[in-house]
Amino acid sequence: MAEIVIVGGGVAGLTASMLLARDGHHVTLVERDPGVPPADPTTAWDDWERRGVNQFRLPHSFLPRFRAVLDDELPDLPDVLVGHGALRLNRMQAMPDTITGGFRPGDERFEVVTGRRPMIEAAMALAVAQEDGVVVRRGVAVRGLTVAADGPGHDGVPHVTGIVTDRGERIPADLVVDCGGRRSALADWLADAGARRPVDDAADAGFIYFSRHFRSSDGTTPAAFGPPIQPYDSLSMITLAADNGHWSVVVLASAADKAMRAVRDIDVWHRLVARYPLVAHWVDAEPTTGVDVFARIEDRVRHMVVDGRPVATGVVAVGDAWACTNPSVGRGSATAALHAVALRDALRDASAVDARALVDRFDAITRERVAPFVDDTLRVTRHRLAQIDAQIAGRPYETDDAGWHLGQALMDAAAHDPELLRGAMDVGSMLARGIDVLHRPGLVDRLRAIGPVAPLPGPARAEVVDVIGAGRDRLVTV
């Protein structure tokens, strides 16, 4: 069994720590933020500081695929989360039978266990602290890597042998797992150690988020009259139920849309949300935050094997440290969990002692199991951004990508056919890829039978601009 150092104590690092420890490995988890999670995770939102995670108190969603991975691999953990107030919800049960056709065997796959990130992470951290085989060290930042000139195969590939902390301490490891998230410094650590840099495919995602959190007085969450992500003319609305009677509402727009800049003001934000009848009731509650703005979000996929050759052995990247995408679709935690399982399985197939075989096997499993979901996410969100930009310009969005058109038709028609609904929810839940759902027998015929569907009720672009402008002008004159 291997001595493994995991860098980063977020959801990815905590999941990987539990999976690897339960497979018999000895895990040292180092986290640069010194704050200890509270003994009562329900207070984490107010009491726990995680300065190293800039999105810590922003809206989060934990999809059915995340819950499914936990059920399969860490079956005790969902009940731990629910015991601290995480919301266990199945949207298929919450919708009327006239839309769903009634709850069916197999619909349990749509269940979520979700909550605000501070609460979920605190509950997971408490569980990890009780895990045999895991040592958690907080307030320990990584300064760099220790590297041997030649890997075990003596093929000139540098081999990572551990980490160096900001205190100058050297912690040896058979494998270093970077779970450092979007701010991962792994590329710099490798370059400083004389290794080749990973190849990053990176670009600004192009979106801006205006979000606000709310809570109810009785612990309930608002009724959902539409899907969590609702596309409208030139923007999208997102509603995310969370733990202990909390939830969030997000206005998602193009970062290039200058008119939207005024939405950072609370009054303008509320004037705008009030124009969307499927969402307006979500903000008729006690707010717990102002309008939080999140932008300059990078899409990135990091390639640790380039032209068939690893940049180094003895080190891998998991979760957002490997690939990070548009957070509005909520796939980060599920992707991280799938990726952590992929690492666990790679270590079963090729031990850390055979360092080159392990890196190659992990890369192969990642490309087979996890990368397709990342590729789908990047493609769809880039289409949506281009569509928003076209709507701002007042022209139709045109593309020859048939998959995009079919996917949009599936989402639009979901409320009009129970089979299409389940297909759309499988894709949105990250339980299946769109290409596989669209190949289900008879599904495309059902889409054709439905035909064009009216858009969700909401203002057109001109009205959006008027609402924002009126709100801004009012603020100037008061």
Side-chain angles (χ1 to χ4, degrees):
M1 294 296 105
E3 291 286 336
I4 298 175
V5 169
I6 294 180
V7 180
V11 173
L14 294 168
T15 305
S17 294
M18 296 183 76
L19 286 168
L20 298 179
R22 292 187 184 188
D23 239 32
H25 303 289
H26 184 268
V27 176
T28 300
L29 173 64
V30 296
E31 164 55 50
R32 62 184 171 183
D33 284 338
V36 177
D40 179 2
T42 63
T43 70
W45 180 273
D46 297 318
D47 298 344
W48 193 18
E49 286 298 326
R50 292 277 275 115
R51 297 186 184 278
V53 183
N54 60 346
Q55 71 272 29
F56 191 56
R57 286 183 175 80
L58 293 176
H60 278 75
S61 177
F62 294 83
L63 298 179
R65 187 59 182 267
F66 179 73
R67 188 269 316 148
V69 172
L70 297 189
D71 279 349
D72 290 342
E73 307 294 347
L74 300 168
D76 53 311
L77 191 53
D79 285 342
V80 170
L81 300 178
V82 172
H84 290 295
L87 178 66
R88 191 188 290 273
L89 172 72
N90 191 317
R91 285 184 54 232
M92 193 65 75
Q93 287 181 316
M95 287 185 282
D97 289 352
T98 52
I99 293 177
T100 66
F103 196 78
R104 303 175 182 175
D107 286 348
E108 60 275 3
R109 69 186 184 273
F110 298 118
E111 182 180 274
V112 299
V113 173
T114 191
R116 295 166 296 170
R117 174 167 175 172
M119 176 265 150
I120 295 290
E121 189 173 310
M124 292 182 68
L126 292 176
V128 167
Q130 303 299 315
E131 198 75 28
D132 291 338
V134 180
V135 174
V136 179
R137 298 183 58 185
R138 296 187 179 274
V140 177
V142 177
R143 189 176 68 192
L145 305 170
T146 56
V147 175
D150 275 315
H154 302 291
D155 54 2
V157 175
H159 179 63
V160 173
T161 58
I163 63 169
V164 181
T165 73
D166 56 346
R167 306 168 186 175
E169 178 186 6
R170 292 173 177 259
I171 303 177
D174 298 312
L175 179 67
V176 173
V177 182
D178 178 23
C179 294
R182 289 178 174 270
R183 294 180 173 181
S184 164
L186 180 58
D188 291 336
W189 296 339
L190 286 166
D192 291 345
R196 182 181 179 183
R197 279 183 173 271
V199 174
D200 288 353
D201 295 331
D204 189 328
F207 290 102
I208 186 168
Y209 304 75
F210 303 90
S211 64
R212 200 168 196 204
H213 282 80
F214 298 85
R215 67 182 169 202
S216 64
S217 59
D218 59 2
T220 62
T221 53
F225 297 147
I229 304 177
Q230 301 175 16
Y232 293 96
D233 188 357
S234 80
L235 56 83
S236 294
M237 290 285 174
I238 304 172
T239 54
L240 300 174
D243 63 284
N244 295 290
H246 290 77
W247 64 87
S248 58
V249 178
V250 184
V251 179
L252 173 67
S254 167
D257 188 354
K258 294 182 179 179
M260 293 296 294
R261 294 176 183 174
V263 180
R264 69 183 61 235
D265 178 87
I266 289 175
D267 291 332
V268 177
W269 187 92
H270 276 271
R271 286 175 62 92
L272 180 62
V273 175
R275 297 302 178 101
Y276 294 86
L278 302 185
V279 180
H281 64 292
W282 282 73
V283 302
D284 186 18
E286 178 190 356
T288 60
T289 67
V291 176
D292 295 316
V293 183
F294 191 37
R296 297 180 181 176
I297 306 154
E298 184 181 65
D299 285 334
R300 187 196 69 240
V301 178
R302 173 161 288 164
H303 302 279
M304 298 289 288
V305 176
V306 181
D307 298 327
R309 184 179 176 87
V311 298
T313 57
V315 62
V316 295
V318 168
D320 278 357
W322 161 67
C324 48
T325 60
N326 171 17
S328 69
V329 293
R331 291 188 162 195
S333 56
T335 300
L338 282 175
H339 210 200
V341 172
L343 177 60
R344 190 274 315 276
D345 291 350
L347 279 161
R348 289 178 176 177
D349 295 342
S351 75
V353 175
D354 193 346
R356 176 62 184 269
L358 173 61
V359 170
D360 288 341
R361 183 60 183 145
F362 181 54
D363 180 67
I365 297 177
T366 296
R367 286 186 282 108
E368 175 187 354
R369 300 184 194 171
V370 193
F373 287 105
V374 172
D375 294 341
D376 291 347
T377 305
L378 292 172
R379 181 175 57 82
V380 169
T381 57
R382 287 169 184 171
H383 271 301
R384 176 56 179 152
L385 181 64
Q387 184 185 53
I388 288 175
D389 290 342
Q391 290 167 339
I392 293 170
R395 54 179 171 78
Y397 176 55
E398 298 178 351
T399 175
D400 58 2
D401 185 347
W404 162 256
H405 292 298
L406 284 171
Q408 291 306 291
L410 175 64
M411 299 302 170
D412 292 343
H416 301 272
D417 181 288
E419 296 305 323
L420 300 181
L421 173 65
R422 285 165 173 80
M425 288 184 63
D426 276 330
V427 176
S429 301
M430 210 174 129
L431 295 168
R433 297 182 62 205
I435 190 171
D436 297 323
V437 167
L438 289 168
H439 278 94
R440 290 176 180 173
L443 190 136
V444 173
D445 291 338
R446 286 177 175 271
L447 275 179
R448 293 193 180 111
I450 296 293
V453 175
L456 297 174
R461 171 66 182 177
E463 185 180 348
V464 169
V465 174
D466 286 345
V467 169
I468 295 172
R472 182 173 52 222
D473 294 343
R474 185 192 60 76
L475 291 171
V476 171
T477 57
V478 169

